[in-house]
Amino acid sequence: MAEAISVLGVTLAAVGLVHNSALARWEQGEIWTADENVTMLAVPLLWLWITGRRFADYGLGAANLKPQWDAVCACAIPFAAFALPSLLDWNGFSWLAILFMFGAPVAALYLFAFRLRKKAPAAMVLAPCLLLAFAPHAMSRAAAGLTFYVFLLGPSEEVLFRGVIQSRLNLAFGRPFTFHGAKWGWGTAIASALFGLLHAVNPYALFAGQWHPIWLAAPITFCGALPFAFLRERTGGVLAPGLLHAWPQGIAFAIKAVR
């Protein structure tokens, strides 16, 4: 467990250095600060390489890509529906919004478990992207946003938390339980709790020398991590959780950009 915490600490320190760098200041006027997510993705991969670990043991191997891709194909379109509530006007803080934030991850968990019993054609994943290609306005902005969310933001968090941290904790605590075909253990819960804690303490505020924790974000993001932790264990890799992690946010952004 100490090693998992160390990787998390080193990664956050590296992200903090990048966040306060000249590059980050230059990017402040941009929509996305990709350098921070690149750092979050690169540091765990560098750790695996330096320590001589087998990438496959951390969900990064190429041997089982087919079941992971099948999971993406099966879950992408129904999971995209989770983007729709973000398009609504919630009028700020409301109990309805909080109910959705807690309920949606539970629904996503059972959605993934149900969909993985079936197979869906790969073309289904491309349907929203094809719609964007024919959008009359702001096509490039929509495509850039979708690309950022799906191929950078999601994978960077999943490689760190579900790939490295959850895998290391699994070695420490084992996986004695089973949920819809996925073996899991206390490492899943602890990795998800760390994920929630990270979002609660708001590290980007800490990087700026401020302390603005949002404690409600801890249980919400803990629940939000569980569907992706399930995908990691069920498919044996981080491809599916990585691509699906921010897929609804990317779709929501793209829809807002083109409408």
Side-chain angles (χ1 to χ4, degrees):
M1 183 170 178
E3 192 169 18
I5 299 298
S6 299
V7 175
L8 178 60
V10 171
T11 302
L12 291 179
V15 172
L17 290 174
V18 172
H19 179 79
N20 291 317
S21 67
L23 177 60
R25 289 192 294 271
W26 174 78
E27 283 189 325
Q28 284 179 355
E30 302 297 323
I31 303 173
W32 307 283
T33 54
D35 55 314
E36 295 164 2
N37 292 98
V38 170
T39 303
M40 186 178 293
L41 180 62
V43 172
L45 295 177
L46 184 62
W47 173 79
L48 291 176
W49 179 71
I50 291 175
T51 57
R53 307 301 169 90
R54 293 180 66 250
F55 278 60
D57 294 338
Y58 295 83
L60 297 166
N64 60 341
L65 288 180
K66 187 179 185 304
Q68 297 181 66
W69 180 245
D70 287 344
V72 174
C73 295
C75 300
I77 296 303
F79 190 48
F82 284 77
L84 298 179
S86 65
L87 303 176
L88 303 176
D89 183 6
W90 292 94
N91 295 318
F93 177 87
S94 71
W95 289 110
L96 181 60
I98 294 177
L99 180 63
F100 171 77
M101 291 177 187
F102 280 105
V106 176
L109 177 60
Y110 282 93
L111 168 67
F112 290 163
F114 173 76
R115 291 294 293 170
L116 290 188
R117 299 176 186 174
K118 303 180 178 181
K119 292 184 178 180
M124 291 183 64
V125 180
L126 302 178
C129 301
L130 293 176
L131 291 176
L132 289 177
F134 293 98
H137 303 293
M139 181 188 69
S140 61
R141 177 182 172 86
L146 188 63
T147 299
F148 170 79
Y149 280 105
V150 176
F151 295 105
L152 186 56
L153 190 150
S156 65
E157 295 190 355
E158 291 303 312
V159 167
L160 174 60
F161 283 94
R162 256 61 68 182
V164 174
I165 294 177
Q166 184 169 311
S167 298
R168 292 303 304 169
L169 292 174
N170 283 342
L171 291 176
F173 296 99
R175 298 187 299 167
F177 312 114
T178 302
F179 177 82
H180 288 273
K183 292 184 178 180
W184 65 281
W186 289 110
T188 299
I190 296 173
S192 300
L194 290 173
F195 186 73
L197 181 62
L198 177 67
H199 284 76
V201 300
N202 192 4
Y204 292 109
L206 292 178
F207 298 154
Q210 302 172 358
W211 174 246
H212 297 302
I214 307 173
W215 297 117
L216 183 60
I220 289 175
T221 50
F222 169 81
C223 294
L226 295 179
F228 307 112
F230 166 76
L231 282 178
R232 163 69 180 96
E233 303 298 348
R234 181 68 171 78
T235 66
V238 297
L239 176 66
L243 293 181
L244 292 173
H245 179 114
W247 169 252
Q249 295 98 309
I251 290 294
F253 178 90
I255 293 174
K256 292 178 180 178
V258 300
R259 70 180 181 179

